Amino acid sequence: MTEARTIVVTGGSKGIGRAICLRFAGPKARVYFNYGSDEQAAIGTETLAREAGGTAVGRRVDVTAEADIKAFFDEIVEETGGIHVLVNNAGIARDGLLVRMKSADWDAVLDTNLKGAFNTAKIAAKTMLKQRRGRIINISSVVGASGNPGQANYVAAKAGLIGLTKAMARELASRGITVNAVAPGYVETEMTASLSEKAKEAMLSQIPLARAGTPEEVAAAVAFLASEEAAYITGHVIHVNGGMYM
């Protein structure tokens, strides 16, 4: 494919989302991303993309608000003519034991991590259906497959993303649209940096490769699923976790 592709990444201002934006940034891609509140981090992604010889345009957009997402995607389609790849990466965590979890924390995580992906995929798919081609890649998590105490809301959302991926894959395949998921394990990001040393050691003890992953390793899996080489892969989950879950 020689034409420039339009790539949309949700939650692209830092961590895995930023690495994905930078992986795609280049002369043959037009990258757009949304962010929640950290404008300086978003500017950082834009700057790094320019330094890499590409562009990444950030917009403050709430993935839980369908009208905001539609306006964002309409702007992108007007500027570029289409959407070729959507990466649903936006996510938050509000950890706590089930019996103590506040309903507000459950709702916030499910709304952002799962409903947000539904909102973006629903709108992007309409454009992709007209194009008769596209790639949708959802960022799930190892805990969506394995479970994890203290994260009932996060686990439910990430497991839900896997189910959503498989349902969308079946619905959209006839129009040349593939839908897959990438499930990272313990990856070095700002979110995991806040863990205690004891928690980090406990996590590492479960990983056969005995190290944390990097955002760039997750981005590599995403880039593969977005490539022409992955055209015959749909409804699949690629686990990037060092063997933490098999």
Side-chain angles (χ1 to χ4, degrees):
M1 188 182 297
T2 57
E3 66 175 302
R5 294 194 301 170
T6 300
I7 319 292
V8 182
V9 181
T10 68
S13 63
K14 60 183 72 171
I16 290 172
R18 172 181 283 181
I20 293 169
C21 288
L22 298 181
R23 178 76 187 209
F24 283 115
K28 294 185 178 181
R30 295 162 294 198
V31 180
Y32 293 80
F33 68 95
N34 87 298
Y35 63 96
S37 59
D38 194 338
E39 184 177 4
Q40 288 305 309
I43 292 171
T45 297
E46 293 177 335
T47 300
L48 289 169
R50 284 195 300 271
E51 292 174 354
T55 59
V57 178
R59 294 285 187 270
R60 185 171 182 173
V61 179
D62 182 0
V63 295
T64 70
E66 188 173 353
D68 291 356
I69 288 292
K70 185 177 185 306
F72 179 44
F73 280 43
D74 284 349
E75 175 188 347
I76 293 169
V77 172
E78 184 176 349
E79 289 182 3
T80 70
I83 297 172
H84 301 99
V85 180
L86 167 65
V87 183
N88 281 313
N89 169 74
I92 61 172
R94 298 285 187 274
D95 296 348
L97 294 174
L98 177 67
V99 294
R100 298 176 183 170
M101 184 171 290
K102 297 177 181 177
S103 293
D105 289 337
W106 173 274
D107 291 343
V109 171
L110 269 292
D111 283 351
T112 300
N113 299 16
L114 184 56
K115 187 178 179 181
F118 161 76
N119 287 339
T120 56
K122 176 182 176 180
I123 295 169
K126 292 178 180 178
T127 296
M128 292 179 178
L129 285 168
K130 294 176 184 176
Q131 298 168 172
R132 300 189 71 87
R133 64 191 171 101
R135 300 280 190 269
I136 298 175
I137 300 152
N138 298 317
I139 306 301
S140 181
S141 169
V142 62
V143 301
S146 68
N148 199 41
Q151 288 191 307
N153 48 4
Y154 189 82
V155 170
K158 292 301 187 178
L161 272 179
I162 293 174
L164 179 63
T165 296
K166 294 177 183 294
M168 291 196 301
R170 290 188 178 276
E171 287 189 23
L172 302 175
S174 65
R175 295 297 184 92
I177 302 166
T178 66
V179 188
N180 292 287
V182 173
Y186 174 34
V187 176
E188 292 177 335
T189 65
E190 185 175 298
M191 185 181 291
T192 58
S194 63
L195 294 173
S196 67
E197 287 304 314
K198 184 178 180 180
K200 291 177 183 178
E201 290 172 6
M203 198 87 73
L204 288 172
S205 70
Q206 302 175 49
I207 302 173
L209 287 181
R211 68 171 179 85
T214 67
E216 290 73 23
E217 288 171 320
V218 178
V222 172
F224 168 67
L225 290 173
S227 71
E228 287 300 303
E229 288 79 4
Y232 200 55
I233 301 173
T234 195
H236 188 68
V237 182
I238 293 183
H239 289 272
V240 184
N241 60 31
M244 185 178 183
Y245 174 85
M246 300 182 188

